[in-house]
Amino acid sequence: MQPDSIPFSKARRLLGQEYQHAVFDARSGLDVEALAIVAGTLRAGSWLLLLVPPWHAWAQQPDADSLRWSGQSQEIATPNFITHFQQQLLADDEVTLWRQGEEGAIKPLTPRALWQPVNGDPTPQQQALLTRLRDAAPGVYVITAARGRGKSTLAGMLAAQCTGGCWVTSPSRETAAQLLHCGGAELPFWSPDALLAHCQSSSVPPLDWLLIDEAAAIPASVLQALVSHFPRVLMLTTVQGYEGTGRGFLLKFCASLPRCDMLTLDQPLRWVADDPLERFLDDALLFRDTFTDVDALNPATARLPAVVTKRLAPAWLSESAGLHRYYALLCSAHYRTSPLDLRRLLDAPSMHLYGAQRGEAVCGVAWWVDEGDLSPALAHEVWAGRRRPHGNLVAQSLAAHGDEWQAPCLRSRRISRIAVVAEQRRSGIGHALIAAQRDTASDDGIDFLSVSFGYQPELWAFWQACGFRLVRIGSHREASSGCYSAMAILPISEEGRQLATRAEWRLAQEWPALRRIIPLALPLQLPMTELSILEDAEWRSLAGFAFAQRGMEPTFATLTRLLGRSGLPLPALRMLNAYPHDPERGVTVFSLSGKKALLQRWRDETAQALAELDAAVCARWQRWTQPDGFRLNK
């Protein structure tokens, strides 16, 4: 039989499935997320054969996987993570290291209790949960467990025993294969988007349960909408960080529900307890790390001043306890932390980690990433929507969505993660971590600090108290937090202060129109009067939409101003203005082939309106939007 072969990028399709043996080819790059997924699909008695580069050259060899997370345009060597990974391999007495050209010998495994394969009947742990769920009151129930504990099997058993009917949803039918197998052939399966559309357009028949497998891989906003349509919802997830939004499922979504019963399974079914492969990956990828620094809970420690220092990744290779403590704190407090972050933390260029300690106790950590310093030509292409280079999240967004086309040319530093020990929050540690960077950033030639976060009033209050100024609100909810994305900057240089003033004013100027598509109450000081003519910045934004590839949402507010000054019919744009939450209505009304055709119709009408308003100015700005057009005099 020909064995299955898939690229790393398709590994998520294996979630929820089982295999006997696997070969993982890491000779060109080590995708740790795919490795964890593949290992979780193997049954007891399986072998995982990991192919790696020559041992002594591995740490200095460019890693193809680095293109996903390093922010670089070329592969980089990852010596710190690979050295850490090699240390874990050498320290494990049950890992066989077989080097090409040498005679190999398989290491014997430590004797363990005899593993008994499941026979179709629930285990005592599963039976206890089944009994509880069969008699469950209406509400949301969540089963969390590591891989191979029988979450999907339990949900299938529940479906098979229910008399009132169940529906199943999951990121794909493949990831729900085990649940559907155990629940019976007639168990209806829905993709999350199709199910939500059905619930919003039709009545849902009376059902006992909605079963959601691999729930952490579904956007929180979709989950939030789904749970309101069903009396009982059972969600299944792991919190090991490689399924999607990872630990955010617990930290953000579950905590937001009015009633959510948390359940767990810890007895492995696919392998014996203390399985050597699972143990190795837990140690190598820090899956089991939890923050338990008892010194941080000491009242005497809490009275000491917080000292903020920069932490260097190479030092952790000889003092791994520091890596474990800081990474565990990040995992305990942040919903996006994943195995990719461990790789990024150890080896990605332009990363800066600062730790806060009181005495010997770790009490906070802030992770910063350098951005910007792009050439004007590349920044202009980003603004025009024609280029999206790796990295530079805020710097690029200020250009592509905020119309500050030169923002990526400035040097900035974005806070990627910040975490404070729960018992010491609201004691000034977060402010101290920000202040330490603010006070030294100018020495590094930084123009502004930045942050991107899911907007919540209390969270914005913290950033505002640290000196940040709100410059952008996204028009879509984040998959991880379920909140609208927000960006704020703290200016350092004079160029940074000018940028902050312009972007802050622009957001306030556009907010009366933007709040029609972004239902948020922002504490903005709105302008008292509306400008009677289009300014240069508005001509530039509209020309970028009409003649380049800028999106509709960043241009929406300016489009509404254009409509108020044009005497042309502009039917597609006026329909967009009348029905901003239903932009696809135009596809039907104007008999267009789809979204792309509608977008082009909007662009064409914008170009017509600009030419009618002032043909000469329109022509100058059209030239400006073309590659290298910024070099031309307007």
Side-chain angles (χ1 to χ4, degrees):
M1 181 179 69
Q2 183 70 23
D4 294 333
S5 176
I6 64 168
F8 295 150
S9 60
K10 306 296 184 184
R12 292 182 189 276
R13 295 181 179 179
L14 303 179
L15 289 169
Q17 302 183 55
E18 293 187 8
Y19 291 92
Q20 186 82 37
H21 308 312
V23 177
F24 192 96
D25 190 349
R27 289 174 292 180
S28 62
L30 179 55
D31 183 332
V32 291
E33 290 181 307
L35 178 63
I37 291 172
V38 169
T41 68
L42 298 180
R43 309 182 191 99
S46 299
W47 285 96
L48 175 60
L49 181 61
L50 180 64
L51 306 181
V52 303
W55 186 260
H56 294 295
W58 187 8
Q60 301 305 322
Q61 176 175 305
D63 190 313
D65 188 61
S66 65
L67 292 172
R68 290 196 306 138
W69 49 261
S70 68
Q72 304 299 298
S73 59
Q74 296 182 330
E75 300 172 6
I76 63 170
T78 59
N80 294 318
F81 178 81
I82 295 303
T83 299
H84 160 76
F85 197 78
Q86 288 177 318
Q87 289 173 346
Q88 299 301 315
L89 288 168
L90 292 172
D92 195 310
D93 291 336
E94 295 184 298
V95 169
T96 293
L97 179 61
W98 195 345
R99 305 186 191 189
Q100 188 170 354
E102 298 180 3
E103 185 175 349
I106 304 298
K107 288 184 179 179
L109 300 179
T110 302
R112 289 172 170 82
L114 183 63
W115 176 73
Q116 297 292 335
V118 294
N119 58 9
D121 295 328
T123 66
Q125 257 196 343
Q126 288 177 322
Q127 185 59 57
L129 291 187
L130 277 173
T131 301
R132 179 173 177 176
L133 293 171
R134 278 201 303 264
D135 300 326
V140 178
Y141 298 81
V142 179
I143 298 179
T144 62
R147 295 240 144 259
R149 266 61 180 176
K151 301 184 301 295
S152 299
T153 299
L154 185 150
M157 293 175 176
L158 176 65
Q161 295 177 16
C162 283
T163 57
C166 301
W167 283 358
V168 175
T169 188
S170 184
S172 69
R173 180 178 287 273
E174 290 80 8
T175 59
Q178 182 66 16
L179 193 164
L180 295 170
H181 172 74
C182 296
E186 301 304 317
L187 197 58
F189 173 83
W190 297 77
S191 69
D193 290 343
L195 177 58
L196 181 56
H198 177 80
C199 292
Q200 292 173 337
S201 62
S202 308
S203 60
V204 177
L207 297 168
D208 278 349
W209 289 93
L210 172 64
L211 308 175
I212 307 179
D213 208 351
E214 308 297 356
I218 299 174
S221 57
V222 175
L223 294 174
Q224 188 76 54
L226 284 175
V227 298
S228 63
H229 292 281
F230 297 88
R232 297 174 188 82
V233 178
L234 177 63
M235 302 187 192
L236 315 173
T237 189
T238 115
V239 290
Q240 287 178 316
Y242 53 80
E243 290 184 301
T245 55
R247 289 180 169 125
F249 187 75
L250 288 178
L251 295 173
K252 294 290 182 180
F253 179 73
C254 295
S256 71
L257 298 173
R259 174 176 177 179
C260 183
D261 287 5
M262 305 300 298
L263 312 171
T264 190
L265 291 168
D266 56 26
Q267 179 182 343
L269 302 185
R270 294 181 195 163
W271 48 77
V272 73
D274 190 34
D275 173 74
L277 177 57
E278 183 178 46
R279 185 197 62 238
F280 166 75
L281 288 176
D282 285 348
D283 292 340
L285 303 183
L286 310 190
F287 277 155
R288 287 189 295 195
D289 275 12
T290 55
F291 189 80
T292 56
D293 195 334
V294 294
D295 289 337
L297 310 180
N298 187 326
T301 299
R303 290 192 293 269
L304 296 174
V307 178
V308 178
T309 56
K310 188 170 184 177
R311 319 303 298 183
L312 300 176
W316 284 332
L317 300 180
S318 57
E319 202 276 304
S320 61
L323 172 62
H324 285 254
R325 288 198 296 175
Y326 280 107
Y327 189 74
L329 179 54
L330 285 169
C331 290
S332 70
H334 206 283
Y335 54 83
R336 284 178 174 170
T337 310
S338 77
L340 279 188
D341 289 308
L342 180 58
R343 300 220 63 185
R344 190 179 290 118
L345 180 65
L346 288 177
D347 284 300
S350 304
M351 300 284 162
H352 309 271
L353 195 79
Y354 284 76
Q357 292 188 207
R358 283 179 165 153
E360 295 299 316
V362 172
C363 54
V365 58
W367 182 357
W368 298 84
V369 182
D370 285 346
E371 295 191 338
D373 205 18
L374 273 60
S375 69
L378 180 54
H380 183 263
E381 289 295 281
V382 169
W383 168 87
R386 292 186 287 260
R387 291 286 302 277
R388 285 293 183 272
H390 292 286
N392 298 288
L393 172 66
V394 172
Q396 288 200 70
S397 185
L398 289 175
H401 306 117
D403 201 37
E404 290 291 340
W405 81 271
Q406 290 180 308
C409 300
L410 301 182
R411 295 188 63 193
S412 59
R413 187 163 287 167
R414 175 174 59 86
I415 188 161
S416 174
R417 307 283 192 273
I418 186 169
V420 175
V421 174
E423 292 77 10
Q424 295 200 29
R425 291 172 189 163
R426 301 186 182 278
S427 66
I429 293 173
H431 287 265
L433 287 164
I434 303 299
Q437 187 60 238
R438 181 196 61 212
D439 295 342
T440 60
S442 61
D443 295 337
D444 295 336
I446 298 299
D447 293 298
F448 64 90
L449 305 179
S450 68
V451 63
S452 175
F453 60 99
Y455 185 85
Q456 300 175 61
E458 61 276 13
L459 191 53
W460 166 233
F462 167 76
W463 293 114
Q464 189 174 33
C466 291
F468 284 83
R469 296 159 69 174
L470 192 64
V471 294
R472 182 175 178 268
I473 294 289
S475 57
H476 300 285
R477 294 181 185 271
E478 293 180 331
S480 52
S481 69
C483 302
Y484 286 94
S485 61
M487 293 181 179
I489 64 177
L490 192 163
I492 301 295
S493 70
E494 178 57 31
E495 291 86 351
R497 282 186 282 275
Q498 293 176 12
L499 170 65
T501 299
R502 289 194 308 270
E504 196 175 40
W505 183 90
R506 180 183 177 88
L507 178 61
Q509 179 76 21
E510 295 187 344
W511 186 244
L514 289 177
R515 62 187 175 190
R516 296 176 58 208
I517 59 175
I518 308 173
L520 284 177
L522 292 184
L524 296 178
Q525 186 174 352
L526 302 181
M528 299 300 294
T529 59
E530 185 174 347
L531 300 174
S532 59
I533 61 172
L534 294 180
E535 292 191 316
D536 278 356
E538 293 175 301
W539 273 100
R540 180 178 64 219
S541 177
L542 290 167
F545 179 67
F547 305 117
Q549 299 299 316
R550 288 179 60 79
M552 181 277 289
E553 288 87 353
T555 322
F556 179 77
T558 318
L559 286 171
T560 62
R561 281 185 32 83
L562 177 64
L563 289 173
R565 283 152 186 77
S566 176
L568 296 178
L570 308 175
L573 286 178
R574 296 193 188 279
M575 180 169 290
L576 170 65
N577 186 47
Y579 302 98
H581 291 289
D582 186 18
E584 296 178 41
R585 178 187 291 248
V587 173
T588 302
V589 172
F590 300 112
S591 301
L592 300 175
S593 59
K595 296 179 182 178
K596 289 185 178 180
L598 178 62
L599 178 60
Q600 189 58 51
R601 176 72 175 265
W602 291 336
R603 296 191 195 280
D604 294 342
E605 290 190 3
T606 302
Q608 294 169 17
L610 291 176
E612 185 262 347
L613 202 61
D614 192 319
V617 174
C618 175
R620 289 199 302 270
W621 279 109
Q622 181 177 4
R623 290 193 299 271
W624 194 92
T625 65
Q626 303 311 302
D628 280 340
F630 70 95
R631 303 183 192 276
L632 303 174
N633 291 326
K634 302 188 297 295

